[in-house]
Amino acid sequence: QRDRDSDDDDVPDEEEAGTDPKDPIDTDDDGRPDFQDEDSDNDTISDAVDLCRLDADPGQADADRDGLGDACDDDSDGDGWRKQMLYP
């Protein structure tokens, strides 16, 4: 039976690989497709525990403590206003 999550980050390989099997997604351009890469954004934090697995955030800041790192959180201060709304 095939391993559905070969890098053990709780994200299925099919989702991480993308739509083109001949050119799988490699977020950090390290030559290893995300579905096989234990650190897809190359920030030294394993995808399994990374608060932003596709955005480099080695400090793992989470100002509003919602479990989503500030680097990838549209509302990192938890005020209900997305960053894009304030800073278009």
Side-chain angles (χ1 to χ4, degrees):
Q1 181 174 335
R2 194 176 128 239
D3 186 350
R4 297 182 192 272
D5 181 20
S6 53
D7 60 356
D8 296 320
D9 64 356
D10 293 326
V11 179
D13 288 351
E14 288 179 12
E15 182 178 326
E16 284 188 295
T19 57
D20 185 353
K22 293 180 182 179
D23 186 25
I25 296 170
D26 180 11
T27 300
D28 58 7
D29 294 319
D30 64 355
R32 188 171 203 181
D34 287 358
F35 75 93
Q36 295 176 332
D37 196 340
E38 293 176 7
D39 182 13
S40 297
D41 59 10
N42 204 28
D43 64 358
T44 72
I45 308 296
S46 169
D47 287 350
V49 296
D50 197 335
L51 297 179
C52 295
R53 87 181 165 78
L54 300 179
D55 293 299
D57 60 329
Q60 298 291 286
D62 182 13
D64 60 1
R65 298 181 182 163
D66 64 354
L68 190 60
D70 294 346
C72 60
D73 191 345
D74 285 342
D75 180 21
S76 60
D77 60 5
D79 66 357
W81 290 87
R82 291 188 348 249
K83 290 178 198 171
Q84 289 84 355
M85 294 171 70
L86 297 174
Y87 310 103

